[in-house]
Structure formats: structure tokens, C-alpha cells
Amino acid sequence: PKPNPTLSTMASSSPVRSSSPRGLSDSSSPVNYNTPGSTPNRTPRTPRSLSSHVPRTPTSAVTPNRRNELGSQSRHMIPSSQHEGKMQLSSSSRVDPVSRSVIWGTTVSVQDTMNKFINFFDEFVDERTGEPLYPQLLKEILEEDARHINLNCKNLHDFDADLYRQLVFYPAEIIPIFDMCIDRIIQRDYPSQAENQDRIQVRTFNLTDVKSMRELDPKDIDTMVAIKGMVIRCSGVVPDMMSAFFQCVNCGNTEEVPIDRGRIDEPTTCSNCKLKHSMRIIHNRCSFSDKQILKIQETPDSIPQGETPHTVTVFTFGDLVDVAKPGDRVEITGIYRAKPKRVSNRQRAQHSLFETFVDVLHIRKTTKNRFGAENAKVDKESEYFTPFEESDNVASISNERVQELKELAEDPDIYEKLKNSLAPSIFEMDDVKKGILCQLFGGANKKFEKSQRDNFRGEINILLCGDPGVSKSQLLQYVHKLAPRGIYTSGKGSSAVGLTAYVTKDPNTGEMVLESGALVLSDRGICCIDEFDKMSESTRSILHEVMEQQTVSIAKAGIVCTLNARTSILASANPVESRYDVSKSVVANINLLPTILSRFDLIYLILDKPSEAHDRRLAKHLVEMYSKQGKKASESEIPIDLLTDYISYARMNIQPKISEEAADELIRAYVDMRQVGQQGGSKNVVTATTRQLESLIRLSEALAKMTFSEVVTVEDVKEATRLINVATQNAATDPVTGLIDMDLITTGQSAGDRKRMSEIADAIRELLGAKSTKVSKLDDVVKDLNEQASLPVKKQDLRVVVSLLQDEGFLSYTKKTDIVRVL
């Protein structure tokens, strides 16, 4: 008996070859991966896997019983009356050997499968439009000159469950049949385009059952599976041989040998001179396709307790290469395969141990609960453009959705509705939610030819600082689940290399390669960092470059490069002593360097202040959430799928420009913020810097995006100014004078504190210089100063001043004995 093609695939030397029928599809099939078929100047042959007779039923050890049962049932699924009508595509179909063929090892009729698929393709009606979906989709694909058509398996399951089960159990045989059906439909409906059109591939997605990586077992081998995870590594694009070109060294005769089930058989005898073992391969005449290896890791929500995340190796080919990038959350649909490990790369001997992988048919990134990061329908010059279309939506559905979004944007209360829809389970915190909304929409990334800088960042960074138990971490979790790309990490559990990139040895090649860290994986997304104050200084210093230049520079193990980290930072920090002390500055409360604090566009202080009315409303809100009925969604809330589509459309298609009136308002607002510090009579107080002006511009652009406005208006600038005043300027208020002083953020010390420290230093110089003895105790110095000064001097402040005088060389201070010695 002939070998089973399923087991032949497992034992092949290449992990990506299929046992697909030779006469049914060409090298463009997503499961054939360069298996030859209907190539020019080549007569199609009846494939071995499509025998004209039904072979002996394999044993249960070779073919599972469920497949035999499925084949037996599927043999009689289509009545003979359905073979007429639309299946009369051409006269050649009556004598086609395919009409009396079955899939090898089963009783699944190829002709019945073709009839059922063409019937589904022509007659499936989309509920959204009330018209046949796939004929319209095929028309748009031909107009756009695309090379694949996406098939929603849920639609196939609803229309014909038996055909869906055959597709899942025999993807390597069924999908090439689908490819051939599409080719015949094009010849039937579009004969003028059939000659010049490349074979269109069918890419299946949206299976009814999405498996966890841990659920994949040997019974799933050679079946179609769908898994979810995050891409953590992408290899480079490597050539994968489609056909080999051989030349005789004796007579020069040439012969081209296509790949068959992962093997290329070298001709042993020249067909011209009959000399044995005289053929040599000519590499630059061979045909190759693109190939890429990805590593997919489990998402945190699917990892059992106490377990570490699993990874799965997947292979992409052709136009799926470079579609997924590290950091993408994807749903992979493909064929689960296994191959034996080789003892050595130089030997053909193989272990009995098999390694598994997935040959990818379709990559899906977008989900209804996250806003999109890429789209095939945007302008090709846009940073959000991707050449791979992953949905089966026709243009009418897409246009209808866009019209719905534009009508929603015209609502005068859209700003309040968006705020109410963001984390509705969290009570109030309206201004904080508005600031996070601005972060989700983002500003416009600008490039100016006249400027020396290539890029002005549009990402907005936000810091939430306050007491424990005020929903800071809940807000971070909500934003993390909403963003398409992004990593949620904790300050104590993060290292410098974990945030940027680390060097490791590639297990396949043995070369040193870079693995992306959290910030690089969050490129074009949001990186949420909890417990920001508990980060080490070395880890926190990494963020300086990321938060301003949007890059990560690496120089490790001979690898020198600059990685993109165009990410927004959403961080939360707790006070040093667990509770926020209003008599201290933000820097003193959360113990962060001023250089980090100045890079945040908005710094929110979230304090837990007792108030009977507020506490009663909060308690009522929480009790309603925990009750059996739960809190009902209000009419002002937008559904999550509509909210994510709204944010996606605004980020990709709306790039607002600043009008002249808005520019004048920005200048006036900045000047007013600078003048606030001079109201108390002090001219040294800095209340705003140029970073606050850039923050105003980014916030104004984000607010304009919320209304789908192409122009930033004066109202947008005023609201951005209000958000700055509510958030950042509260954090910059001097607790002693009550005045706004941006020096608290930029230097960690207010202008008043610096002046006071200078006066104490002068008084110490005068006091110690007048004494006859050069040695004094610190307590005596404090006592003498308090007798002379109008305001009491604290010992803690005196120690700061003494350390400064010690640096100047005026005195020396011994901390153990608390003794000051004048030099």
C-alpha cells in the first residue's frame, strides 16, 4: 500500500511542506508552500492523494476513527440534484478526473467538496447587508489586485457544518480545493481577468474553537488550529526553495525539479546523455519564496496558577512575512505539524523525538475589545498602513461603520460620553479619565523639513500619584486591556534590560541576537508601569531617552543599534510613607528624580480625603457593583466595540493642524502660566517651561481628534490648559508659600526653599566665623541660629546646608559625632 501523506509530512526534512494534491493547486497555495502544480508548460497530473478508487481503510493507528467516520458521512452529503446548475462551469468539468476522485485515505469526494464550497461562496448572505458576501468581496479583491481572500470559518460553519469539519480535519487537502474553486469562479465570472490574474489564496480565520497552547496535543497534528498569544521574537526573512535547477556537468542538459512534500529529489541520471550522478544544482537559477520564524508566547490571562508561559514556534510564508511584529497580540490560524529532530545537521539520521510547530494560514490582530494599531485601508504613506488585509469586510460594511463613527463625532456631548465610557466601574475621577483619554487618542507626530529634529513626539505620558486604594492600578489595568500593543509591568519586578533589550544566543543558529524588552514591545502602544516609585535608579534612568526621544540605544556584545520605542508611559506611584503629606512637594513625597518628573505631560495627585457626601456616593457605587443586578450601563456610555473603533479611526485618519486663533491662544496660555509666579512679587519663581508648552500642543491635538476635527480650535486649547492646571500645577504648588512653582518638578526644590537655604548658609558662616573655637556641636549651632532668626530652623534643613558648605570647603562635618569643624 502507498504511504499515508499525513505521516509523510511528519517525517519530511522541512517543517513546512504539505501533502496537498499535486493536480489541484499551484505553489501559491498557503498550505502547499511551493509544491508544484499547474505551472506553465506543465500538464497537470492526477495526484497520488486523489486516487480514482477508494483504497483500503487504514488502521486506527494510522488514521483516527473520527476521520473514517467523517469521510464515510461526507461521501453522501450532496444530493445529485445539487451537482447541476451553477457547477456547470465548463465542458471540461465533465471529463475532469477530479470528478471521480477522493482524498487519499478517506471517502471524502473531491467533487462533492467543490460543489459545496461553490454553493457556499455564491449563496452565503451577510446579515449586515442582506446580499451575498463573497462575490462582492472577490470583485473588490480583483479591483485592488490582491492575492488572497479571507474566509470566515464561522460563516462556513453556519452554512455547512460538514464542510467546516472536513476543513478542520483535512486542511492540507481541502484548502487547495478551495483555491481551485476560486480560480474556476474567476474564470466563470471574470474571464477577461482570469488569464493575467495570479492564483488567489484562501486564508481561513475565526475558527469556532480557539485552543490554548497547553491544549495542543498529538491528536491535533495535521489539523487546523487557532491559538492566541503575543509575538515575542521574529527571525529575519530567509529564502525557502520552491524548485531546484539542475545542470549536467557532461552535456549541459538542464532540468527543473519542484519540491514535493518537503523534499527535492536530485535526478540520478541525465535525461540526455544518460550519465549517472552527473547533475549539479545551480543556485541562482532556483526559485525561492520568503519564510520567517516567529515565537508566540501565552498571554497572561491564559496562564494557570504557578505556571510559566508556554511558547509555540510558527512559520509564515509569502505575503504573511513581516505582518506580525514583536509585541503584537495575535490570533494565529494554521496547521499544527510535527517533524522528527535530526541527530545532526550534517546527517540524515533522525531521533524518535518530534518537535511541533504551526504553519500559518492567517494572522489576525484586531479584536473588538482593543483599538487597532494597523489598517490596510489607510493611506499607504501612513505609519499605520499594513499591506495585509485580515478581515472579510466588504467596502460597503466599512463605509457604513465609518459613517456611524462620524455621526457619533457630531454629538455635542461626545467628550462627556467618551469620559463616561472609559473605565465606567471606577467612581468619578473625571479629570483623570479625561487625561487618559487624551493619552489614548494621542497627539500628531510631526516632521518638519526646516528643523534639525526629525520627529516631534505625539505620545502623552501620565503619572498617577496618590494614596493607596484610589483605583490607580485599576485604571492601568483597564488601559492595558484596551491598547493593541503594550506591556503591563511592576516597578520592583522590572530591570533595565527587561525594559529595553537584552542579548541572548539564538537556539537555532547560535548567534548573539537582541530580544526586545517591555518598552520596545510597546512600540505604537502604551506601557503601563505600576509601583513606579519602587524602581531602582538604574532602571528608571532608562526612561529618560524613551520618554523624550522615543528610542532605545543599545551597545552590548558587539551589537550597536537604536530601537524604536514610540510608546506612551502610564505610571502610578505611591508616597514614601504610604500616605501623601500635603506639607511636602511631589518630589519629596514619591522620591523621584526631577528629570523623570519633568518628562510627564500630566501628573495627577489622587488624594483620599474624608468627606461624608463623597464617601456615601462611593459606597453606594461599590455596593451596586457587587449586588446581583450589577450596575446598569447608562445611556451616555458607548459600547466597547464602538469605542475602540472610534479611537482607532481617530488615531489613523485624523491629523489636526493648529489654526492661527489656536496658536495665539497657546501663546497667551503659556505666557499666563509663566506670569503666575510673579504675582507674589518674586521674579525667580518658574511656573512653566517649554515642556509644558509642548504638552499643551499635544493635549490640544488629542482633544481635536476626539471630535474628528481637522483643525485645533481655541476651545481645545482652553480645555488643554484647564487639564494642565488641574493636574500638573497642583503637583507643582509650593506647600509653604502656596504659589505654583515648576522648579518643584524640574529641580525638586522650589525657589523659596533655595532662597531660604542660602540665607541659612550665610547665617552659619557669620555665626561660626565669630566664634573663637573652630569646633561646635550641631545642636549648639541650631540653638544659636534659632535665637537670632525670626523663623525657626529645623535640624534636618541645617544638615542639608552643612553638607553644601562642606562641599564648598568652608567646614567639615562628622555625622557620627554630630560635630562641625571650621576649616
Side-chain angles (χ1 to χ4, degrees):
K2 299 177 182 179
N4 191 329
T6 302
L7 299 183
S8 300
T9 303
M10 295 170 55
S12 63
S13 60
S14 174
V16 292
R17 307 305 177 204
S18 99
S19 56
S20 57
R22 178 175 295 186
L24 287 184
S25 63
D26 63 358
S27 60
S28 65
S29 174
V31 291
N32 278 326
Y33 301 128
N34 320 323
T35 301
S38 304
T39 53
N41 302 324
R42 186 183 297 275
T43 304
R45 294 182 295 169
T46 303
R48 182 179 63 177
S49 58
L50 291 180
S51 175
S52 59
H53 65 281
V54 179
R56 289 177 294 177
T57 303
T59 61
S60 58
V62 178
T63 305
N65 290 333
R66 61 173 184 173
R67 300 192 181 186
N68 293 338
E69 295 171 1
L70 177 67
S72 301
Q73 295 171 1
S74 62
R75 187 178 182 184
H76 306 287
M77 285 188 293
I78 297 295
S80 59
S81 60
Q82 295 186 17
H83 292 181
E84 303 174 358
K86 293 187 178 180
M87 276 308 300
Q88 297 178 357
L89 300 175
S90 64
S91 58
S92 61
S93 63
R94 299 176 183 176
V95 294
D96 193 349
V98 172
S99 61
R100 50 191 176 87
S101 302
V102 295
I103 295 176
W104 194 92
T106 72
T107 58
V108 178
S109 170
V110 175
Q111 186 63 55
D112 288 350
T113 302
M114 294 178 64
N115 292 344
K116 293 165 80 94
F117 178 73
I118 294 180
N119 187 33
F120 161 76
F121 191 92
D122 290 335
E123 297 184 4
F124 178 78
V125 177
D126 191 354
E127 296 178 354
R128 296 168 291 184
T129 60
E131 298 177 355
L133 171 63
Y134 291 102
Q136 178 64 26
L137 184 62
L138 180 61
K139 180 181 178 182
E140 295 177 5
I141 287 174
L142 294 176
E143 291 175 354
E144 297 172 0
D145 198 21
R147 297 184 57 189
H148 70 272
I149 182 170
N150 294 314
L151 175 64
N152 192 332
C153 291
K154 186 178 183 302
N155 297 338
L156 183 63
H157 180 271
D158 295 341
F159 189 87
D160 192 332
D162 290 333
L163 183 59
Y164 171 81
R165 285 199 297 271
Q166 291 179 15
L167 173 65
V168 172
F169 290 148
Y170 308 106
E173 289 82 18
I174 298 296
I175 290 184
I177 297 175
F178 287 179
D179 288 347
M180 188 171 67
C181 291
I182 295 295
D183 193 37
R184 292 191 176 186
I185 291 173
I186 294 176
Q187 294 177 8
R188 180 193 70 186
D189 298 339
Y190 307 96
S192 59
Q193 302 183 25
E195 296 181 359
N196 301 325
Q197 180 67 34
D198 293 334
R199 175 68 62 89
I200 292 180
Q201 304 173 2
V202 174
R203 297 205 176 274
T204 54
F205 73 102
N206 196 22
L207 296 183
T208 57
D209 181 24
V210 179
K211 289 182 175 290
S212 170
M213 294 183 188
R214 299 170 187 272
E215 296 175 356
L216 297 175
D217 52 31
K219 71 179 182 181
D220 296 316
I221 291 177
D222 283 336
T223 66
M224 188 182 298
V225 297
I227 57 175
K228 285 185 178 180
M230 186 177 69
V231 181
I232 59 172
R233 184 194 302 169
C234 291
S235 72
V237 180
V238 295
D240 192 50
M241 187 174 289
M242 298 168 57
S243 62
F245 190 89
F246 292 95
Q247 185 179 34
C248 179
V249 295
N250 182 36
C251 64
N253 181 46
T254 61
E255 185 175 350
E256 187 175 356
V257 180
I259 197 164
D260 185 16
R261 296 179 184 87
R263 294 179 59 86
I264 293 181
D265 296 324
E266 179 182 351
T268 57
T269 306
C270 176
S271 59
N272 184 33
C273 64
K274 307 301 181 183
L275 187 65
K276 290 187 176 182
H277 306 293
S278 62
M279 307 297 286
R280 67 173 180 177
I281 190 169
I282 309 297
H283 289 89
N284 58 351
R285 297 287 300 275
C286 299
S287 300
F288 297 91
S289 67
D290 294 335
K291 171 184 173 182
Q292 192 175 35
I293 306 173
L294 308 181
K295 283 283 188 182
I296 310 295
Q297 181 177 285
E298 276 183 310
T299 53
D301 54 346
S302 61
I303 301 176
Q305 295 179 356
E307 297 284 347
T308 56
H310 278 200
T311 59
V312 171
T313 303
V314 302
F315 291 86
T316 59
F317 297 85
D319 55 355
L320 286 177
V321 167
D322 282 338
V323 169
K325 305 174 184 63
D328 286 337
R329 294 184 182 90
V330 295
E331 179 182 327
I332 298 288
T333 303
I335 303 175
Y336 190 54
R337 298 194 186 278
K339 69 169 183 177
K341 289 186 176 181
R342 284 193 174 186
V343 176
S344 172
N345 290 333
R346 298 181 179 179
Q347 299 178 15
R348 299 189 64 179
Q350 297 173 337
H351 288 294
S352 60
L353 180 65
F354 284 69
E355 58 184 11
T356 58
F357 55 91
V358 176
D359 283 340
V360 180
L361 300 174
H362 188 276
I363 297 176
R364 187 182 185 187
K365 296 182 184 179
T366 58
T367 60
K368 67 177 183 179
N369 294 330
R370 299 180 186 272
F371 61 86
E374 294 176 338
N375 194 347
K377 293 183 171 60
V378 298
D379 187 14
K380 290 186 178 181
E381 297 181 356
S382 172
E383 59 190 359
Y384 299 102
F385 174 74
T386 178
F388 181 74
E389 173 59 48
E390 61 183 53
S391 70
D392 62 344
N393 290 337
V394 296
S396 59
I397 297 176
S398 302
N399 296 335
E400 190 176 316
R401 188 64 163 181
V402 170
Q403 187 61 34
E404 182 181 1
L405 297 176
K406 290 182 178 179
E407 291 176 359
L408 183 61
E410 294 175 358
D411 190 337
D413 297 329
I414 183 61
Y415 187 35
E416 291 296 323
K417 285 186 176 181
L418 289 172
K419 182 258 299 178
N420 294 333
S421 305
L422 182 69
S425 61
I426 297 177
F427 183 67
E428 291 189 350
M429 300 176 65
D430 293 347
D431 289 324
V432 178
K433 291 182 180 180
K434 289 177 180 178
I436 293 178
L437 266 179
C438 292
Q439 185 182 45
L440 292 175
F441 281 88
N445 290 321
K446 298 167 282 294
K447 292 184 179 181
F448 300 129
E449 296 180 357
K450 297 181 181 179
S451 174
Q452 296 295 324
R453 289 175 59 184
D454 295 333
N455 185 26
F456 288 81
R457 71 176 173 97
E459 285 74 20
I460 296 172
N461 303 317
I462 297 178
L463 174 65
L464 307 179
C465 172
D467 297 326
V470 290
S471 303
K472 300 189 300 296
S473 298
Q474 292 294 327
L475 276 172
L476 264 66
Q477 288 280 8
Y478 186 88
V479 173
H480 171 65
K481 293 178 180 178
L482 203 62
R485 296 170 57 88
I487 300 295
Y488 184 94
T489 181
S490 179
K492 201 66 176 176
S494 303
S495 62
V497 292
L499 287 178
T500 55
Y502 58 94
V503 178
T504 184
K505 184 173 289 187
D506 188 274
N508 298 323
T509 63
E511 298 179 355
M512 303 301 291
V513 295
L514 273 180
E515 289 287 340
S516 301
L519 294 171
V520 181
L521 291 176
S522 301
D523 188 32
R524 295 290 178 212
I526 297 176
C527 184
C528 301
I529 306 176
D530 205 358
E531 309 292 345
F532 190 66
D533 55 303
K534 296 176 178 60
M535 268 189 177
S536 62
E537 286 300 325
S538 60
T539 305
R540 215 180 286 138
S541 62
I542 295 295
L543 298 173
H544 287 88
E545 181 187 3
V546 174
M547 295 177 69
E548 200 61 45
Q549 278 75 40
Q550 305 276 280
T551 56
V552 172
S553 299
I554 300 295
K556 298 177 181 178
I559 300 175
V560 180
C561 63
T562 300
L563 307 175
N564 285 326
R566 296 158 293 186
T567 175
S568 300
I569 304 292
L570 178 60
S572 69
N574 290 324
V576 175
E577 299 176 356
S578 296
R579 302 289 295 182
Y580 194 90
D581 189 354
V582 293
S583 64
K584 296 180 181 178
S585 67
V586 178
V587 178
N589 267 289
I590 59 176
N591 194 24
L592 290 179
L593 288 177
T595 50
I596 283 287
L597 285 178
S598 63
R599 283 170 164 77
F600 284 102
D601 298 282
L602 295 172
I603 303 176
Y604 282 102
L605 296 184
I606 309 175
L607 305 182
D608 188 9
K609 297 180 179 179
S611 171
E612 183 179 353
H614 179 271
D615 294 345
R616 188 177 298 276
R617 294 197 305 271
L618 175 60
K620 184 179 179 181
H621 173 81
L622 288 175
V623 170
E624 287 180 353
M625 284 184 56
Y626 282 96
S627 64
K628 294 182 179 179
Q629 294 82 10
K631 187 177 179 182
K632 297 181 180 179
S634 63
E635 296 180 356
S636 60
E637 293 180 13
I638 303 174
I640 184 66
D641 55 338
L642 186 60
L643 175 65
T644 53
D645 286 349
Y646 192 91
I647 297 175
S648 302
Y649 184 84
R651 288 172 64 93
M652 296 179 186
N653 298 280
I654 308 299
Q655 299 296 326
K657 307 293 183 184
I658 300 177
S659 62
E660 294 184 2
E661 295 82 3
D664 295 338
E665 181 65 23
L666 282 169
I667 296 172
R668 188 194 63 77
Y670 177 66
V671 173
D672 289 346
M673 291 168 66
R674 297 276 293 185
Q675 294 296 322
V676 171
Q678 301 182 7
Q679 294 177 1
S682 175
K683 295 185 179 180
N684 295 326
V685 178
V686 179
T687 57
T689 63
T690 51
R691 277 184 174 161
Q692 274 67 51
L693 177 58
E694 290 185 345
S695 299
L696 271 177
I697 295 174
R698 285 190 285 268
L699 291 170
S700 302
E701 291 171 343
L703 290 165
K705 284 185 176 182
M706 292 184 196
T707 57
F708 286 4
S709 174
E710 296 289 349
V711 179
V712 177
T713 62
V714 176
E715 287 74 17
D716 296 331
V717 177
K718 289 182 178 179
E719 176 63 17
T721 307
R722 189 191 70 81
L723 289 175
I724 288 278
N725 292 332
V726 168
T728 308
Q729 302 227 345
N730 279 348
T733 302
D734 189 344
V736 178
T737 63
L739 296 177
I740 295 172
D741 188 356
M742 286 306 296
D743 280 358
L744 282 172
I745 303 298
T746 55
T747 65
Q749 196 175 46
S750 65
D753 287 343
R754 285 201 305 274
K755 183 179 179 182
R756 178 172 170 76
M757 295 298 177
S758 177
E759 292 175 353
I760 294 175
D762 293 338
I764 290 176
R765 288 193 189 96
E766 184 180 349
L767 177 65
L768 296 181
K771 283 188 174 184
S772 57
T773 177
K774 292 187 176 182
V775 179
S776 303
K777 282 196 172 184
L778 194 64
D779 292 335
D780 297 336
V781 176
V782 174
K783 185 178 178 181
D784 294 340
L785 283 177
N786 284 330
E787 290 177 355
Q788 299 177 7
S790 57
L791 292 175
V793 178
K794 296 180 181 179
K795 190 175 181 179
Q796 182 180 359
D797 295 340
L798 187 62
R799 280 178 175 162
V800 175
V801 176
V802 167
S803 63
L804 294 175
L805 292 175
Q806 187 177 10
D807 294 339
E808 293 177 5
F810 176 72
L811 52 82
S812 65
Y813 172 60
T814 306
K815 194 171 183 179
K816 278 188 176 181
T817 57
D818 235 11
I819 290 178
V820 178
R821 184 187 301 273
V822 179
L823 301 177

